[in-house]
Amino acid sequence: MDKHLDAFLDRHPTGWGHDEWLALLDDLRRAGIDVGDAEVVGHALEGRRLARVLNDLSIKGLGAKRIEAIVDRFETLWRARHAQVEDVAAIRTVPAALAAKVVEALGSIQ
């Protein structure tokens, strides 16, 4: 499923609507991937989107393990973009200074 989600994110870098979401579910079904619980697929897609955005920020000190911790905590780009520095810094592996950089960078995304 990961390659399908990545391809979908490549085609929809700024987001997607309901019709695109339904088309993704249909593509996954045709590829033999179980989409009986669309919420699971949506969660995976949103997590990959947030991880991709965080990675693309290229913030020094924000590596794969910290990105994973942020994704685990916030789950979606929307939630992460609306987080306060204290929320991000509450993640054990994210120092306050790095949390401030992450929040500032996410706030500048259109």
Side-chain angles (χ1 to χ4, degrees):
M1 178 168 45
D2 291 344
K3 71 177 184 171
H4 293 279
L5 298 181
D6 286 336
F8 182 81
L9 289 170
D10 288 342
R11 290 189 309 272
H12 302 90
T14 60
W16 52 89
H18 186 69
D19 290 340
E20 290 90 2
W21 167 245
L22 293 177
L24 171 63
L25 292 175
D26 190 49
D27 289 345
L28 292 172
R29 262 187 222 100
R30 281 187 272 122
I33 298 169
D34 179 17
V35 295
D37 189 348
E39 188 173 325
V40 171
V41 177
H43 182 78
L45 179 63
E46 289 289 349
R48 292 185 83 74
R49 179 183 188 198
L50 175 55
R52 181 180 284 205
V53 167
L54 290 169
N55 187 62
D56 289 349
L57 293 174
S58 299
I59 297 173
K60 184 177 172 137
L62 186 60
K65 290 188 185 248
R66 287 180 172 152
I67 288 173
E68 182 179 343
I70 293 170
V71 170
D72 287 346
R73 166 65 177 88
F74 296 103
E75 299 178 338
T76 70
L77 179 58
W78 189 90
R79 288 182 186 146
R81 287 188 66 217
H82 291 87
Q84 302 297 312
V85 173
E86 298 79 26
D87 300 327
V88 180
I91 299 169
R92 187 180 57 80
T93 59
V94 181
L98 180 59
K101 290 177 185 176
V102 169
V103 168
E104 180 181 350
L106 287 174
S108 69
I109 296 173
Q110 297 294 333

